[in-house]
Structure formats: structure tokens, C-alpha cells
Amino acid sequence: MRKTMKWTVMVSLSSIMTITAGCSGTPPQGTSAGSGKPAEQAVQAPPKITMMNIFFDPEPPAANSDAMKIIRQHTQTDLEVNWVPSNTYNDKLNVTIASGQLPMMIAVQNQGKDPSIINAVRSGLFWEVGPYLKDYKNLNNMNPLVKTNLSVDGKIYGIPQHQYLTREGVTFRRDWLDALGLKEPKSIDDLYQVIKAFALNDPDKNGKNDTIGLAEYGSLGSFNSMLVYHGGVPGWDVKDGKLVPDLMTPEYLNTLKFYKKLFDEKLINADFPTLKNNQANELFEKGRAGMMIGGKQYAYDREPNLNKNVPGSKIDLVTQISGPKGIRALATPGFTSAYMFPKSSVKTEADLKKVLAFWDRMADKEIQDLMVWGIEGQHYTIKDGMFVRTSDGNDRFQKEINPLRQLRSHDVSLVSKGTLGAMRTKVDESYKIDDPVAVNNPAFSLVSNTWTERGNELNKWVEDNRVKFVLGALDDSGWNNVIEQWLQKGGDKVIAEYNEQYKKVNAK
């Protein structure tokens, strides 16, 4: 299959209208009762909704699958989707915008913060939807942080494609913890003590000094979570009413020193700068490392491989670590893409209300269950009021339901309870306690032209030198020089641009 191939899937209108006949029977199709003449349409046809969306799987979602039929029925729409492969999506989107021939809804990647999209928003290409959200029960319940992150110049122009707000936690070997007589870490010091014991106290009882406390990779994959534990804010913090880049804060330096301590004491793998994420995962799955800090899903999707390599091993999860500013959790933007509505194809306010109604219904409990569980009898059954996967439900779900994940705009708060396993349940429950203490990057909704141009370069500069600090090649004075050079490379302009916008948005 050529990577450049594009698929267009036209989802046809299914028969979702039912006309109830009286006692005398149903008249022939196309006639009215007692007249024999063509009948006026008794039920208004559902509105046609067109969309351009992205897919990441080898094939696009099936056009007439049972799941798509349920979506069309529940949303009361004739949904037509143009599915475009992820590797060509942005090019296709730019061409489509330039042509002016836009569908009613487009999925915009990078949280809608690409320069071309920002320019289109500011030129009036898309509808502002913020004032309408209050009229839709589900859309109105959007997390306030997500609303903020979604905004451009303080206004909301799209509906989010859902991502968990607090995705990260501490996954660890429960059997090692129990073998060493330790308790779950609840503070930064607890975390350090557990990492140290996992590395130095022979938790696997093989008589060898061959274990790793914390598996790390690259420029420190767990750094942002650790920065939050230490009281910092990844990206940008607010100090005295002004935005300050994280690398210039004392919390950032303290976090660097924490990692240096772990490295100096041989508590993390010494080769972390050369490893990729999957290689760090392997250290954990092969029984060498006792802890990972990252996606909460590690707690259940790493266990099968670990149990193959280390029979009888057990994994557990902690998501709340207390630091100098209390219990805090790293926040994502809360969405990966944004669905936006061009005025050229959504021509009237009435049309806008139809597409907003579509997304509001897509967040109903019925669709949340569909997106998480699938279809009753195919992917799950109900036993004693609990949803239970069928024997082949997981495989079928991945093939038939998961490809539709780009249509998920809800936060799974209404999903029916079921038996996906104790750890999956623990992870799902964690969002309820972590989201209220989520730490958000206050600059996320802002746009800096300099950052757009040089952000990758500036990030790489910081991450490379972050590793040097941990390895001992830089001291505090050396880190100050890193900051000065970051400013000279364009960081000073980024600070000025972000603060100019921040002041305008917060003055409203």
C-alpha cells in the first residue's frame, strides 16, 4: 500500500426513520392513507453533516459498520466522513482550506495551534462557538481547563477530541515493594526511598546488584511529572503576574538536582540518554527496573509481558505524590485535535446549531459506552448489571470500534461500569481524583510567532543541556549560561510575545 494513498469514505444515510401506521394498516409507500396520492414527507430527513477527519490505522473506519449506523441513528444525522491518512492529513487540510471547498467540520491537529489555523481563525474563517456551548448539556460540562486550552485569543472556536487531562502516574513493582517491606510512595522523599531500595536492596532476591530503581530514557521522559511534584509548571509558570519559562524557575533547577542525585547514586539506568521510550519499557517488562513514570496505562498494558518474563510479578500504580506545594498532577491540554466549523460551509446559525447538536449527542452515555465498550452481544455482555467483554471482544473492539476513536469528544465520565480488570478500574477512577489537582500550562492557549519558528530548536537546546546537567557536565553556573543562550537564541522574544498576549487575554 502506498503511504500517499488517500481514502474518502462516504457514510450513506441509513434508514433511521420509522413511520407508525394506524389500525387500518400502512398505506402503500409514497401515498397518503385514503387518497392514493403521493404523501408529503411525514418525517423530516436528518440533516447531512460532512466532516474531514484523520485516521491512524492501516485502513479507514468501515463506512457502513454497525457502529457507524448507531452513531448516525443516535445523532439523528446523515453523516458523511472524508477519512484521510495521518501521514498526509496536514497537507490535505492546507490544500482544502486554500481551495475554499470545505466540509462542515474539520479535525485540526496540534490542538488547533498551527499558524495557518490561527491565521484562519483571526481572519474570520471559522465560527466562534463559545457563546453557544451553554445551550448543550454535554458541551457545557467541558472541563474549564480544556476550555481555556482550546481558546484562541480568549475565544473558543472548536470542540475538543478528547484526551485524558491527567494521564501520568507512577507504575511500580508491587511484589518488590512488598518484598522489601515498603509502603506506597506518597511524597517526593518516599519516591526517592523506593527508587533507592529498588536499585540497591536486591528486590528480586537473586543475590546480585543488577536492578534499576527508575527506568529512564532520552532527555528524561518523566521530567514534567517530576517537575510538577517539585512545585513547578511544565512550559510556563506565572510569577508576579507575568509568564516565566519553566527553565528559569527555581523549581526546575531543584528537579534537575533531584535527577542528578538519582544518577550519581546509580539509581537510574546510566545509559538513559541513548535509550528510546520503548527501550526503557523493556527494562521494566524484563524485570530489571522497578518503576516507570509516565502514562497510567503502563500499569495494565505492561503486565502481560512482565508476567511472561517474571512469572508471579505484580504491578501497581500511584498517581498522587505530595511536594512543596501539596498534591499536584501533570495536565495535558485535555484534547489532541479540535473540530472546527468553517463559515463557508456552515452558512447560518441554524446550521451551526445542527453540528453542535451532533457533537453534544456524541457525548451522550450511549455513545460513550459505544466508544469504550462497543456493541452489546458483539463486544460485551451484561452480567449482574456489569459490562463484561465477550471471549473475542477485545480483538473485535480493536478492529471495529477503536478506529473510530477520532470521533470521541467526551471525557468517558458517563461510561457504564464493567469488568476490564482491577487495574484498569483503578486507572479509570484515578482521573476523578487527579483532574481537580491538575497543573496547567497557562501559555498553552497563546501563540508566539517566534516559538512557532524556533520552538523545536529552543526545546532541543534545553533538553540536551538538561541531560548534561544530570550527567555532571554542568553546574548551577553552567545552567545559568544555558538560560542566557536560550534567551539569545530567541527566548527573549518568545517571553515578550507570550506576555503581550497573556496580558490582553486576562484583561478581558
Side-chain angles (χ1 to χ4, degrees), residues 200-215:
L200 303 180
N201 294 356
D202 192 22
D204 57 359
K205 304 302 180 183
N206 68 353
K208 300 177 182 179
N209 183 21
D210 59 355
T211 55
I212 298 166
L214 172 65

Side-chain angles (χ1 to χ4, degrees), residues 357-424:
F358 167 83
W359 286 114
D360 193 58
R361 292 174 185 138
M362 284 294 289
D364 283 342
K365 176 178 174 56
E366 293 83 353
I367 300 299
Q368 291 198 25
D369 280 342
L370 172 69
M371 292 297 189
V372 172
W373 285 102
I375 300 171
E376 184 177 4
Q378 297 183 27
H379 309 99
Y380 70 92
T381 58
I382 301 177
K383 184 178 181 180
D384 298 328
M386 298 286 283
F387 284 35
V388 182
R389 276 276 182 253
T390 57
S391 58
D392 62 346
N394 281 326
D395 289 340
R396 291 192 62 181
F397 182 90
Q398 293 302 321
K399 295 176 183 177
E400 299 165 3
I401 306 297
N402 199 46
L404 295 171
R405 61 190 178 277
Q406 291 304 113
L407 293 176
R408 218 167 85 172
S409 63
H410 54 78
D411 61 1
V412 304
S413 59
L414 303 177
V415 172
S416 297
K417 292 187 178 297
T419 55
L420 285 173
M423 187 52 61
R424 176 64 182 268

Side-chain angles (χ1 to χ4, degrees), residues 27-28 30-40:
T31 65
S32 59
S35 69
K37 296 180 180 179
E40 293 183 3

Side-chain angles (χ1 to χ4, degrees), residues 4 16 68 76 103 109 120 123 138 149 185 187 194-195 207 218 233 241 262 319 344 357 377 396 407 451-452 475:
T4 56
I16 67 172
M68 284 300 297
Q76 302 172 34
Q109 295 191 94
S123 66
N138 294 318
N149 292 338
S187 67
V194 171
I195 293 171
V233 181
L262 296 181
T319 64
S344 60
R396 291 192 62 181
L407 293 176
W451 184 258
T452 299
D475 56 12

Side-chain angles (χ1 to χ4, degrees), residues 235-256:
W236 295 77
D237 204 347
V238 178
K239 304 283 188 182
D240 299 324
K242 294 183 179 181
L243 290 176
V244 178
D246 57 4
L247 74 156
M248 296 177 67
T249 64
E251 294 87 355
Y252 196 100
L253 185 59
N254 289 338
T255 306
L256 283 175

Side-chain angles (χ1 to χ4, degrees), residues 98-289:
S99 73
Q101 302 299 310
L102 294 166
M104 299 174 74
M105 303 182 287
I106 60 172
V108 178
Q109 295 191 94
N110 301 323
Q111 291 87 30
K113 296 301 188 290
D114 282 340
S116 60
I117 296 300
I118 298 299
N119 290 336
V121 165
R122 289 173 174 168
S123 66
L125 180 66
F126 297 105
W127 281 91
E128 180 193 353
V129 301
Y132 298 92
L133 298 182
K134 66 182 184 301
D135 299 326
Y136 302 89
K137 62 176 183 177
N138 294 318
L139 299 182
N140 192 45
N141 287 331
M142 192 187 309
N143 187 294
L145 283 182
V146 177
K147 286 184 179 180
T148 298
N149 292 338
L150 191 63
S151 65
V152 176
D153 299 333
K155 298 179 180 179
I156 299 175
Y157 291 88
I159 302 300
Q161 193 269 322
H162 174 261
Q163 180 187 52
Y164 291 112
L165 185 64
T166 50
R167 297 184 64 199
E168 296 202 356
V170 180
T171 299
F172 62 92
R173 288 284 297 275
R174 164 59 69 175
D175 53 325
W176 283 12
L177 195 80
D178 293 343
L180 296 172
L182 299 173
K183 295 182 179 180
E184 291 184 358
K186 295 183 178 180
S187 67
I188 294 175
D189 185 62
D190 292 344
L191 195 63
Y192 165 75
Q193 295 298 338
V194 171
I195 293 171
K196 183 175 182 178
F198 280 177
L200 303 180
N201 294 356
D202 192 22
D204 57 359
K205 304 302 180 183
N206 68 353
K208 300 177 182 179
N209 183 21
D210 59 355
T211 55
I212 298 166
L214 172 65
E216 271 299 344
Y217 66 94
S219 57
L220 301 168
S222 65
F223 189 88
N224 283 344
S225 279
M226 200 70 76
L227 175 58
V228 169
Y229 301 156
H230 281 80
V233 181
W236 295 77
D237 204 347
V238 178
K239 304 283 188 182
D240 299 324
K242 294 183 179 181
L243 290 176
V244 178
D246 57 4
L247 74 156
M248 296 177 67
T249 64
E251 294 87 355
Y252 196 100
L253 185 59
N254 289 338
T255 306
L256 283 175
K257 291 180 177 179
F258 181 81
Y259 278 103
K260 187 176 188 307
K261 182 178 182 179
L262 296 181
F263 180 80
D264 289 346
E265 296 180 7
K266 298 180 172 29
L267 308 185
I268 59 177
N269 47 301
D271 61 349
F272 77 87
T274 66
L275 297 189
K276 298 184 183 299
N277 187 14
N278 65 311
Q279 293 172 307
N281 291 341
E282 288 179 3
L283 293 176
F284 186 84
E285 292 176 353
K286 291 182 177 180
R288 290 195 58 204

